[in-house]
């Protein structure tokens, strides 16, 4: 055993360290494309706060980088190993410590899977809204690291809105407690929100107090077929301008619609250039859907199909669930994550179509339209270096377009390795310098997830 | 003119500087009690971002402290002058730059009064929810500095939830842009939220992008009289545990009820030891009020009065509006701001009553009960040094009690001067050290609002 693993083993239970190369290879990366991953020295699986502190103290003593990980479902390479690092997998710290319906909070360890928290909350008539697509496998710790979003965000907001307090092990092993268990609190700077979305570069979350909401009613959905992305974008704007707040508003572009149509045998006509799905979970979803139906028709929808009941809703939403699998069948995929003001959504879609055409690539766009958060999915042949290079270029041009439209390079997936160079472009020099100085306050030796985000 | 005013005058319009001692005295403090205020060297009223930059550059060059101010309605002394400082009043930067119903945002200068933004938003069917009691005079910049809350927070959250992006002039005069105009975004550390609630110690907000919501329906209220604070606290817990989300849930204790009864000639019986006001603004407020009424009766309410219409609602809510004026008539008041988990609300009220009795003082408690946010109001004779000392001690003991119950020393008023010594007790040494290091990153010379908060 090396000095590192020897030192680590002194404070970890049997089975808490893995150095098997095959296992380490599996833990060396998340689900992002186009990102390099190094070879870890060891993968550690702590089970207690003290063990995490021991690992960080050891890392500081030996100046070894530490890469914190949840379920590795991330899409930006933020959890990718660097050479010689300790991969710090938090998956064994997976207990729900408290569920409190009066204070509407849960206290959880970081390895709790999103869906497990959601189901436990549902058992008490509560919900934990943030619902990234990977919710059946991703962890709350990973969600906090990324600042994860999901389909529900148009109505219920993102992870940041639901994190009230954190226990965090700092780079030198000290334990930091931030935030509160109360509904409100303004004592001192908001370190909790600074840590949400910091991608494991400032500290390792070992416990979180998250807010819960009363469980919403089951949602009722509507599908509307549009002859153009412009028309669908106009409908999205009108829905929001009228003061309606859907629980879900997803838009699929022509590429995605064709792929889904093929995979799911949906029988959508060729004329459908955009498919909008809208749902409500309020007390009168049928009434709200009727209003949305009218808005869609006025915007030029060729077909509007409101569900009559929950089963029909599920059928309509199936189209959205099939989107990624349907596009995956067409080649290697790389998923982008550009959010623009929702008034610019149609321009964003038109711009992406132009980029796809210019690079002779297929790019399907799935959008959380209510948030203006688009996921352009670039499809390419990974065995063709020239096509891969075009894919990479188009991926970058999509980010440039997003910034041009007043948007951000990442709505909910994070910066990680994938968008590191682009972060400087979005933030500008003053913000970037401050961010690096903040990083240095938390992690003066630079051992926490080096090379990621800022 | 001194060197300082001379230098400042070079970059400010006529009338942009005031050195008249009487005017300066008025601008030397906010509305907090028990807080010292120094004598400013000058009060500056910039009208543009460039002028703010000029002021900060001058202050950095000459090492002069700067105290940013909104409408000075704060209750923690955060806006109090220090000797020889530049008081930086943002009240002349008071334009609403954009109101955008599609993206549901407003772009405002910091001196915009909360009520003006609210009314402008209402004109487009939108609302800006944070509603501190001072909303008719306080500014959005001040709200951001404090992290202000209000009555609506039980349903709609606090200022922090509504600030999407900021333009901030740093201590050295550089302009920092944080955040975004989009609904979502996770590019880099969340500097926006770090700045919200930072009480002018990290930078001077010169522009803010804030989120708006569709205007809610008018709320319908209910008043319930309880024979004890315990019973009222139990009702509050049960309302939340049942998954109801009122738009307002305010609780007044026996002292406040008596004072309001006297001032407003409400005719409440002597047996009323606590008065709970609950309102809903959803599609079926009457149904929700009926459910709350049953909960209150089951918890022991002696009387439950649901409003039949909005006019009746306003009459019921009048009791809450009279609370502060009614207590003010009894002597000098000092308002505390302790938030506890709402499940501990009854214990908090019992503890405050015990403190009042032990110190032979009158303390009335008005609570945003749905948030667990209590405002114990200590009443004393400011001309009696011994009684003033007891008032100060009881004020401190109330904070100690809040911490003991798992709460925070400040739910929405901030730390300022008033609670500075208490902040260390809440945060603990690790968080406090980090906060001070963050402060040093933004303001290495320590010229921004020195001696406040951290």
């Amino acid at each position: 055993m090396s000095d590192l693993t020897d030192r680590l083993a002194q404070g970890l239970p049997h089975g808490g360290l893995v150095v098997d190369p095959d296992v380490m290879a599996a833990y060396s990366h998340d689900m992002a494309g186009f990102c390099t991953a190094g070879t870890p020295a060891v993968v550690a699986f702590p089970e207690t706060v003290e063990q995490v502190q021991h690992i960080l103290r050891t890392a500081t003593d030996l100046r070894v980088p530490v890469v914190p990980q949840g379920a590795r479902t991330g899409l930006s390479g933020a959890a990718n190993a660097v050479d010689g690092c300790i991969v710090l997998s938090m998956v064994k710290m997976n207990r729900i410590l408290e569920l409190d319906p009066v204070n509407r909070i849960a206290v959880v360890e970081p390895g709790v899977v999103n869906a497990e928290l959601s189901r436990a909350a549902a058992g008490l008539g509560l919900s934990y809204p943030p619902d990234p697509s990977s919710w059946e496998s991703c962890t709350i710790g990973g969600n906090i690291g990324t600042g994860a979003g999901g389909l529900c965000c148009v109505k219920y907001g993102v992870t940041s809105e639901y994190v009230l307090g954190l226990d965090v092990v700092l780079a030198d092993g000290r334990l930091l407690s931030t935030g509160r268990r109360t509904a409100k609190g303004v004592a001192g700077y908001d370190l909790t929100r600074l840590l949400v979305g910091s991608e494991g570069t400032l500290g390792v979350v070992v416990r979180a107090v998250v807010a819960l909401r009363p469980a919403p009613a089951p949602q009722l959905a509507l599908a509307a077929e549009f002859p153009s992305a412009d028309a669908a974008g106009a409908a999205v704007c009108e829905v929001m301008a009228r003061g309606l707040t859907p629980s879900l508003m997803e838009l699929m572009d022509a590429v995605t619609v064709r792929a889904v149509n093929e995979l799911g045998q949906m029988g959508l006509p060729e004329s459908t250039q955009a498919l909008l799905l809208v749902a409500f979970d309020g007390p009168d979803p049928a009434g709200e859907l009727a209003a949305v139906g009218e808005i869609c028709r006025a915007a030029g929808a060729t077909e509007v199909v409101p569900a009559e009941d929950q089963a029909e809703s599920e059928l309509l939403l199936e189209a959205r669930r099939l989107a990624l699998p349907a596009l995956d069948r067409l080649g290697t995929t790389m998923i982008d994550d550009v959010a623009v003001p929702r008034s610019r959504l149609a321009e964003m879609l038109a711009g992406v179509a132009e980029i796809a055409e210019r690079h002779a690539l297929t790019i399907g766009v799935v959008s959380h339209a209510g948030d203006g958060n688009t996921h352009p999915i670039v499809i390419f042949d990974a065995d063709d270096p020239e096509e891969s290079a075009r894919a990479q270029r188009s991926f970058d041009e999509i980010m440039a377009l997003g910034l041009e439209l007043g948007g951000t390079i990442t709505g909910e997936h994070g910066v990680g390795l994938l968008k590191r160079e682009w972060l400087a472009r979005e933030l500008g020099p003053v913000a970037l310098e401050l961010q690096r100085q903040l990083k240095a306050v938390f992690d003066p030796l630079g051992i926490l997830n080096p090379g990621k985000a800022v």
Side-chain angles (χ1 to χ4, degrees), chain A residues 241-448:
Chain A
R242 291 270 189 95
L244 294 158
T245 301
S247 52
L248 170 154
M249 183 149 65
E250 298 285 312
L251 181 61
M252 285 176 277
D253 74 341
V255 171
T256 311
V257 168
R258 279 199 299 277
V260 166
N261 213 7
E262 211 168 293
L263 176 62
Q265 300 183 321
M266 297 262 168
L268 292 169
E270 277 297 314
S271 61
T272 301
Q273 295 294 305
L275 185 67
L276 184 66
L277 299 170
V278 187
F280 290 89
D281 63 3
D284 179 26
E288 293 181 296
L289 285 182
V292 168
E294 271 177 42
I295 290 168
C296 288
R297 275 186 212 97
T302 49
E303 191 79 52
V304 174
V305 185
E308 304 260 309
D309 54 32
Q310 223 198 319
E312 274 184 44
S313 282
E314 290 304 313
L315 276 175
L316 294 177
L317 296 179
E318 183 70 11
R320 174 63 181 84
R321 270 185 290 272
L322 286 178
L324 292 185
L327 292 168
D328 269 338
R329 290 168 74 219
L330 305 179
T332 299
T333 57
M334 192 167 166
I335 181 162
D336 215 330
D337 173 42
V338 170
V340 295
R342 65 177 74 90
S343 58
R344 314 298 294 269
L345 187 61
E347 286 167 86
M348 183 71 201
L349 295 176
V352 172
E354 185 277 322
I355 290 167
E357 194 176 329
R358 185 153 39 76
H359 289 289
L361 286 167
T362 301
I363 306 182
V365 186
V366 181
S367 306
H368 309 310
D371 303 324
N373 191 180
T374 67
H375 293 309
I377 294 155
V378 184
I379 295 152
F380 62 102
D381 177 357
D383 295 329
D384 178 342
E386 191 274 331
E387 188 164 313
S388 297
R390 271 187 284 134
Q392 174 81 67
R393 275 202 302 281
S394 68
F395 191 83
D396 286 353
E397 286 177 20
I398 288 166
M399 285 189 277
L401 174 64
L403 290 180
E404 204 181 298
L405 295 174
T408 171
I409 57 168
T410 175
E412 56 183 8
H413 292 172
V415 175
L417 282 174
L418 190 64
K419 300 190 167 180
R420 203 166 169 241
E421 284 163 30
W422 283 84
L423 184 63
R425 255 175 96 157
E426 174 163 343
L427 296 183
V430 177
L432 191 67
E433 189 188 334
L434 277 172
Q435 302 232 347
R436 290 192 173 146
Q437 289 173 294
L438 295 184
K439 160 76 176 170
V441 164
F442 280 83
D443 179 23
L445 300 172
I447 63 166
L448 272 175

Side-chain angles (χ1 to χ4, degrees), chain A residues 75-137:
Chain A
L75 293 164
S76 74
N80 282 18
V82 298
D83 283 336
C85 76
I86 302 167
V87 164
L88 180 53
S89 174
M90 302 304 288
V91 294
K92 287 195 179 175
M93 290 180 66
N94 60 357
R95 289 177 303 162
I96 297 174
L97 302 171
E98 278 182 56
L99 276 172
D100 177 344
V102 170
N103 294 306
R104 292 188 186 164
I105 58 171
V107 183
V108 298
E109 292 185 328
V112 169
V113 169
N114 182 300
E116 281 171 17
L117 174 58
S118 299
R119 281 193 274 265
L124 296 171
L126 295 164
S127 75
Y128 177 70
D131 61 345
S133 297
S134 57
W135 74 300
E136 285 284 2
S137 50

